[in-house]
Amino acid sequence: MSYVGEIVHGIRTLLTGMAVTGKYFFRARKEIITQQYPDNRDQLRMFERFRGEVVMPHNENNEHRCTGCQACEIACPNGSIEIIWDRKVDEKTGKKKKYIVKHIYHLSMCTMCNLCIIACPTDAIKMAQNFENSVYDRSYLTKVLNKPGSKLMDGIDE
Amino acid sequence: MYDFTPMVEGINRWLHSMMPDAAATFAGWVLVALVYLALFAVMGLVLVLVERKVAAFFQLRLGPNRVGPWGLLQTAADAIKLLLKEPVGTKRADMFLYNLAPFLLIIGAMMALSVIPFAPGLQAFDINIGVFFIAAVSSVGVLGVLIAGWASNNKYSLLGAMRSGAQIISYELSMSLAILTMVLLAGSLQVSQIIEQQRDYWFIFKGHVPAWIAFMIFVIAGTAETNRTPFDLPEAESELGAGFHTEYSGMKFAFFFLSEFVNMFIISAVAVILFFGGWMPLHLDGWTGFNQVMDFIPPIFWFLIKMSVMLFLLMWFRWTFPRLRIDQLLKLEWKYLLPMNLVNLLLMAFIVLMGWHL
Amino acid sequence: MEEVKQITLHPQGRTEEYFINMGPQHPATHGVLRLLLTLDGEIIKRVDPDLGYIHRSIEKMTEHDTYRQIVHLTDRMDYLSAHINNEAVCLVVEKALELEVPDRVKVVRTILAELTRIASHLLWWGVTGMDIGALTTFMYAFRDREMINDIMEENCGARLTMNYNVPGGLMWDIHPNFQRRVKAFIKHFKTKLPEFDRLLSDNIIFRKRTEGIGVLSAEDAISFGVTGPAARASGVSCDIRKKQPYSAYDRVEFKEILDTRGDTFARYKVRIHEMWESLHIIEQLIDNIPEGDYQVKTNAVIKLPKGEYYQRVETARGELGVYVVSDGKKSPYRMKFRSPGFSNLSVIDHVARGYKVADLVAIMATFDFVIPDIDR
């Protein structure tokens, strides 16, 4: 390419590039791609499959579906779930039955891989869409998923 | 109509009536210095904010919008933060030079600012070698950069400083030659004279093609002088961290940061003075009505409008182009800009000789 | 009269080698890689990569994990091709178990893998622009990448570490919105990709910065074990999707992008063209997702038969090999990942020698290193 041709070509490519950014500059108002995060908290909806933390749903009678089978504990790759369980006599059947004392969940170690949810035979735990997990002390990240005084729902067997 | 000369002279007379001559002169100096310091600070803050907003819009972001309405106080908050910050530096640095460098840079920038007329009469220092003075003083800045890079005792900084030295010395040439081309047209180095020459038409129209080429070269060289992308090699964030000011923090860092913007302002101002008639309004041949409307707009606004356009152009470059490599940078100067400039100078001389510029 | 001091100069001047640490905290290494540079002025004499700053012993961890658990660890290797890494482990497990996964799984895996590839290349494009000094490219790339991330989030449940593959299929069936969103993305991205060319690829400064820099010959690429776009830019045909088709790659039509120049620009161009090809693959599959199950039932605890298994896949950076030695237990006896980044990094000294520091940054950018992938 000739000396002058090269200069002209160079300038043309530079102007093409400027046209791209220039176009966005003047349309910037409409095409803003960033979100005003803490302000838009109310409108912010995560997708239903989003994995934020493990929770154990309780019904209105403070009953959960966890039988204490420990399938989630075994499935968890990094020991985020610890289940403290015991056996007691079931009033109806008179048999000794396993129940959970504490379903401990270490959010600090969880990688949100969803294996515990898949492993759970009774759908006792599920993923919540909460993503604001920062706290001031690490100990807050260790959670007990079953609420105090809660018990197993009727009709759920191991 | 909008001449500031009476006002300035009035203040001068008032000062002289209040105190003895020597004291009045001194007071005048202090007053001017204070005005320029204030101007410097305000300009820095405004330009940084504008740059951030413009960059945000180029990048489809919102930019600063938390402090004050539309984020207008953001840079003020930043300045306060930088002022209150602990000055963290290196232990092994050459302390005297390390502390001196930011001031050298800022002094160079401030001195160049003094010859720039914002409006008729609003000029601190109208010497007969005005543009020459700007070219000379603005290269003092490179000393600051070199010293900063060397004194920091940091290898990345030193690399940045070396690049800066090579870059500014080369591009000084182009810039001066581009200025010289326009000076040929004006026949004077005095800034007020140059502007006066453009009362009927701006030089960019008067000078035909050579003036456009000179403008192009001036903008390129000016970008290189101010260390902005695509010529930001001394800083080269992705290569050298922050180049020559890696080791600076707090207000010393702010000085480097501000001086970049002030230099940008100076480059734009010189471009406006040389090519777009400074504070002169736009006049078109034969359109008397239009010309009168243009005259109605105060010169200071003319100056500021032209400045904004120039500054926007520099920002547009910055947020579009990739960075050059050091050898390409020098190649661009010595193989393209310099020969073009010399030919251009001859062309302009020929045009002036033939009297085609009128 | 004062004696004139004689200064003798070496013919080239007295020079000293200049040694700098690039990293582990350096903007251009995109992570915690440390390069020990020996410089002559700005010219690179030697590059010594120093790794291990983000080594998490994933290979060792696999020896204590079940095969289901291993999958999620691979998300953290090359986090930009998380889905493809998952797929590799799932494929090797399926191979060992001689499981035939349904067509639906294969097609969905392929679509997601190609989306991952585009997302990875988009991030690469953004940071390449940034490394070379054009800061705006980053936001434009992320604008489009965000659409893919949203698709991933809606369909897989996470934006980056998807863990959507399980041995035997997928974790869930695809989301009802999946096809609509992917088509919207294709439509959007086809208008934006030419813009990338106008903004950066054609730019004279970018061209000058990349053309003829960091030339890697085909022989060297082979002998250093370079794979992926970096090798294809040198003319080495090494696309696993073509050589050993897995998932649904045997039923789609696409070109293997090859270039012969082997310089930084060729590597850049190959990746840009690969985005077009990925779009082309997705277009062929998105309307033809076969009906069927999304998972084959497997035992709760997967035990691979005794033996050695190997599976290669093409990630966004090159060839990822998963080698499993099983002794019949629920965890592998040994698992080895042949990561593309590690082999590609080995060539950096050979490629960068004699160029400038700024070139090294450009070379690093176009080799597209992901440091956790190198260190594992």
Side-chain angles (χ1 to χ4, degrees):
Chain A
M1 220 188 292
S2 69
Y3 183 82
V4 178
E6 207 173 324
I7 293 170
V8 171
H9 169 76
I11 291 170
R12 208 177 54 228
T13 59
L14 293 181
L15 290 179
T16 334
M18 283 172 73
V20 174
T21 46
K23 188 187 84 186
Y24 282 117
F25 179 82
F26 291 110
R27 295 208 326 226
R29 278 274 145 228
K30 274 179 270 170
E31 299 207 15
I32 296 287
I33 53 173
T34 47
Q35 294 189 4
Q36 297 287 295
Y37 163 55
D39 296 347
N40 69 352
R41 221 182 228 153
D42 299 335
Q43 299 98 290
L44 204 61
R45 289 278 170 276
M46 302 307 285
F47 294 108
E48 68 209 275
R49 285 181 181 178
F50 178 76
R51 306 194 291 260
E53 71 174 315
V54 176
V55 292
M56 184 181 284
H58 287 63
N59 69 1
E60 62 278 7
N61 300 328
N62 203 14
E63 290 172 334
H64 57 75
R65 297 169 66 90
C66 180
T67 59
C69 70
Q70 289 177 293
C72 49
E73 193 176 350
I74 295 162
C76 183
N78 31 39
S80 312
I81 295 175
E82 281 178 74
I83 295 174
I84 299 171
W85 54 274
D86 204 350
R87 286 181 197 279
K88 68 177 174 190
V89 178
D90 194 345
E91 288 122 28
K92 283 176 202 157
T93 54
K95 284 179 192 164
K96 270 204 161 183
K97 205 177 169 190
K98 208 172 173 183
Y99 77 101
I100 52 168
V101 180
K102 274 180 179 174
H103 187 295
I104 299 170
Y105 169 55
H106 299 282
L107 180 55
S108 52
M109 290 198 275
C110 183
T111 52
M112 318 295 168
C113 66
N114 210 39
L115 292 179
C116 51
I117 316 290
I118 288 178
C120 185
T122 56
D123 292 338
I125 45 175
K126 69 181 187 84
M127 279 288 179
Q129 275 74 49
N130 169 37
F131 59 94
E132 290 165 319
N133 286 332
S134 60
V135 286
Y136 283 103
D137 194 294
R138 207 158 146 178
S139 59
Y140 294 128
L141 292 172
T142 300
K143 298 176 181 183
V144 178
L145 294 189
N146 55 327
K147 289 184 190 158
S150 64
K151 60 177 199 292
L152 182 63
M153 240 178 248
D154 277 345
I156 291 166
D157 277 326
E158 264 181 54
Chain B
M1 178 155 83
Y2 297 105
D3 201 341
F4 283 86
T5 323
M7 191 187 86
V8 174
E9 274 170 5
I11 292 172
N12 201 20
R13 264 201 305 280
W14 177 70
L15 278 177
H16 279 274
S17 65
M18 294 246 313
M19 47 188 107
D21 266 2
T25 314
F26 186 73
W29 290 351
V30 172
L31 205 61
V32 168
L34 283 178
V35 165
Y36 270 82
L37 268 177
L39 184 75
F40 186 82
V42 169
M43 195 168 66
L45 294 184
V46 170
L47 275 179
V48 173
L49 183 74
V50 168
E51 165 101 73
R52 287 176 66 176
K53 274 284 184 193
V54 166
F57 287 156
F58 274 127
Q59 302 188 340
L60 307 175
R61 296 185 284 117
L62 281 167
N65 65 349
R66 296 279 142 175
V67 189
W70 305 293
L72 286 178
L73 299 176
Q74 178 66 48
T75 45
D78 284 349
I80 292 168
K81 183 207 86 174
L82 284 167
L83 270 171
L84 297 177
K85 225 174 153 180
E86 182 194 356
V88 184
T90 47
K91 205 173 177 183
R92 292 277 205 80
D94 188 327
M95 272 309 163
F96 174 69
L97 293 178
Y98 177 80
N99 291 329
L100 178 73
F103 293 100
L104 268 180
L105 210 64
I106 217 117
I107 287 167
M110 297 240 342
M111 272 162 82
L113 207 59
S114 63
V115 273
I116 289 163
F118 295 88
L122 266 193
Q123 186 182 8
F125 193 38
D126 190 17
I127 44 172
N128 54 2
I129 52 161
V131 281
F132 178 70
F133 179 79
I134 292 175
V137 159
S138 65
S139 27
V140 172
V142 66
L143 213 60
V145 172
L146 268 173
I147 290 176
W150 189 83
S152 301
N153 194 21
N154 175 325
K155 290 177 177 181
Y156 282 109
S157 300
L158 185 55
L159 268 182
M162 297 304 281
R163 286 177 177 192
S164 176
Q167 172 178 336
I168 296 189
I169 286 166
S170 311
Y171 278 83
E172 197 67 31
L173 213 63
S174 271
M175 200 161 105
S176 311
L177 277 174
I179 291 176
L180 205 59
T181 316
M182 300 320 284
V183 166
L184 271 184
L185 206 56
S188 167
L189 284 166
Q190 196 168 3
V191 177
S192 54
Q193 285 282 321
I194 292 174
I195 292 174
E196 203 51 46
Q197 293 270 335
Q198 304 179 61
R199 186 166 284 284
D200 42 356
Y201 296 115
W202 299 348
F203 275 168
I204 194 100
F205 304 129
K206 265 190 185 177
H208 310 294
V209 184
W212 307 341
I213 296 175
F215 175 64
M216 219 174 66
I217 292 170
F218 184 82
V219 170
I220 294 172
T223 322
E225 286 268 300
T226 46
N227 292 342
R228 288 173 65 82
T229 322
F231 305 101
D232 64 341
L233 292 107
E235 287 170 45
E237 194 251 342
S238 60
E239 292 155 29
L240 306 179
F244 61 90
H245 59 64
T246 309
E247 298 291 351
Y248 286 86
S249 69
M251 212 48 211
K252 280 181 218 154
F253 164 74
F255 279 170
F256 282 109
F257 197 62
L258 279 179
S259 81
E260 178 189 325
F261 285 92
V262 175
N263 277 328
M264 195 169 121
F265 184 88
I266 291 163
I267 293 296
S268 308
V270 175
V272 166
I273 290 163
L274 286 179
F275 300 96
F276 300 103
W279 39 259
M280 283 290 174
L282 176 67
H283 283 171
L284 291 174
D285 204 10
W287 295 32
T288 328
F290 175 80
N291 290 349
Q292 272 165 359
V293 172
M294 291 292 117
D295 279 336
F296 191 70
I297 301 171
I300 184 129
F301 284 117
W302 272 110
F303 186 75
L304 289 178
I305 291 165
K306 289 174 199 171
M307 285 295 295
S308 337
V309 173
M310 270 306 296
L311 288 168
F312 178 72
L313 193 66
L314 290 181
M315 287 175 189
W316 198 348
F317 287 161
R318 171 156 185 184
W319 300 106
T320 306
F321 297 144
R323 184 185 308 120
L324 275 84
R325 209 188 327 138
I326 181 74
D327 57 324
Q328 289 164 347
L329 182 95
L330 299 178
K331 204 162 144 190
L332 174 70
E333 162 64 23
W334 296 99
K335 269 183 79 177
Y336 294 95
L337 294 187
L338 189 66
M340 261 164 75
N341 229 333
L342 289 171
V343 173
N344 198 31
L345 190 66
L346 282 177
L347 260 176
M348 184 58 97
F350 187 68
I351 285 178
V352 173
L353 197 67
M354 302 301 282
W356 289 343
H357 62 293
L358 303 169
Chain C
M1 202 176 141
E2 253 183 86
E3 197 183 334
V4 180
K5 202 178 171 190
Q6 282 282 318
I7 304 165
T8 49
L9 283 175
H10 191 266
Q12 276 93 39
R14 200 169 64 85
T15 57
E16 210 176 291
E17 276 187 349
Y18 198 57
F19 169 83
I20 60 174
N21 269 315
M22 195 167 169
Q25 313 285 334
H26 190 276
T29 56
H30 303 298
V32 282
L33 175 67
R34 175 166 166 235
L35 296 174
L36 302 150
L37 303 184
T38 312
L39 304 177
D40 175 13
E42 283 237 10
I43 295 164
I44 291 164
K45 299 275 259 203
R46 218 172 70 162
V47 185
D48 278 326
D50 182 11
L51 338 160
Y53 286 89
I54 191 163
H55 180 70
R56 294 144 303 165
S57 69
I58 285 178
E59 283 175 14
K60 191 70 189 167
M61 280 161 84
T62 59
E63 292 168 21
H64 304 279
D65 280 353
T66 66
Y67 290 98
R68 282 180 196 284
Q69 292 172 346
I70 288 167
V71 176
H72 98 288
L73 286 179
T74 58
D75 279 335
R76 274 100 190 149
M77 276 166 33
D78 177 356
Y79 50 82
L80 294 179
S81 335
H83 180 90
I84 308 177
N85 297 351
N86 294 164
E87 197 180 355
V89 177
C90 293
L91 284 171
V92 76
V93 172
E94 284 153 16
K95 198 185 212 176
L97 293 174
E98 287 167 3
L99 274 181
E100 184 56 40
V101 294
D103 273 359
R104 188 181 180 79
V105 174
K106 288 184 177 176
V107 169
V108 172
R109 276 182 182 174
T110 310
I111 294 171
L112 283 170
E114 291 309 310
L115 282 176
T116 309
R117 197 182 309 280
I118 294 175
S120 170
H121 283 350
L122 273 174
L123 186 135
W124 158 83
W125 184 77
V127 297
T128 298
M130 244 168 69
D131 279 349
I132 293 180
L135 295 164
T136 309
T137 58
F138 186 73
M139 292 304 282
Y140 293 173
F142 265 56
R143 171 195 59 200
D144 303 333
R145 189 168 175 271
E146 197 61 24
M147 291 185 81
I148 298 182
N149 277 347
D150 277 349
I151 293 170
M152 293 296 183
E153 194 178 343
E154 191 176 39
N155 192 49
C156 313
R159 296 161 68 80
L160 214 57
T161 52
M162 280 90 82
N163 196 28
Y164 184 57
N165 285 311
V166 292
L170 307 168
M171 195 170 264
W172 301 295
D173 204 356
I174 54 169
H175 195 273
N177 288 341
F178 178 67
Q179 276 157 306
R180 187 174 53 80
R181 273 186 180 264
V182 172
K183 277 183 220 164
F185 168 74
I186 293 174
K187 192 159 168 266
H188 165 86
F189 193 49
K190 277 196 166 171
T191 61
K192 298 299 174 193
L193 206 41
E195 218 164 63
F196 287 11
D197 277 341
R198 290 214 300 280
L199 180 59
L200 196 62
S201 322
D202 295 341
N203 190 305
I204 181 105
I205 302 172
F206 182 76
R207 283 290 186 100
K208 294 276 177 202
R209 278 294 301 276
T210 51
E211 275 174 338
I213 300 299
V215 181
L216 175 67
S217 69
E219 293 77 41
D220 288 335
I222 292 168
S223 62
F224 278 97
V226 178
T227 50
R232 289 197 282 281
S234 304
V236 182
S237 167
C238 62
D239 197 331
I240 310 297
R241 296 175 294 171
K242 276 275 187 219
K243 303 279 170 209
Q244 285 185 349
Y246 54 95
S247 291
Y249 286 111
D250 47 356
R251 69 187 71 175
V252 290
E253 183 259 323
F254 67 100
K255 288 202 292 284
E256 182 182 2
I257 311 296
L258 284 173
D259 205 312
T260 48
R261 288 169 288 181
D263 57 2
T264 306
F265 187 69
R267 288 190 284 273
Y268 172 88
K269 210 68 196 168
V270 164
R271 282 204 173 81
I272 292 280
H273 282 305
E274 270 193 7
M275 287 200 256
W276 282 109
E277 284 306 313
S278 294
L279 279 182
H280 186 50
I281 293 171
I282 297 168
E283 269 183 332
Q284 290 172 55
L285 293 175
I286 191 68
D287 281 325
N288 308 315
I289 300 178
E291 292 300 316
D293 286 340
Y294 62 89
Q295 210 179 48
V296 188
K297 271 277 163 262
T298 47
N299 296 334
V301 178
I302 297 169
K303 286 179 181 171
L304 297 196
K306 216 172 236 186
E308 299 175 10
Y309 310 97
Y310 188 64
Q311 173 68 43
R312 308 195 281 171
V313 294
E314 180 77 19
T315 73
R317 258 145 285 278
E319 177 185 329
L320 173 75
V322 183
Y323 176 61
V324 182
V325 182
S326 169
D327 52 359
K329 300 214 181 76
K330 61 175 188 173
S331 307
Y333 175 75
R334 172 83 168 92
M335 202 159 186
K336 157 83 185 154
F337 296 104
R338 184 249 180 244
S339 71
F342 187 78
S343 309
N344 289 3
L345 182 68
S346 68
V347 83
I348 194 88
D349 176 46
H350 177 75
V351 168
R353 229 172 242 210
Y355 295 105
K356 299 198 169 50
V357 180
D359 292 331
L360 176 68
V361 173
I363 291 167
M364 293 258 303
T366 50
F367 269 100
D368 193 11
F369 296 122
V370 167
I371 312 305
D373 177 43
I374 297 168
D375 283 352
R376 295 193 296 289

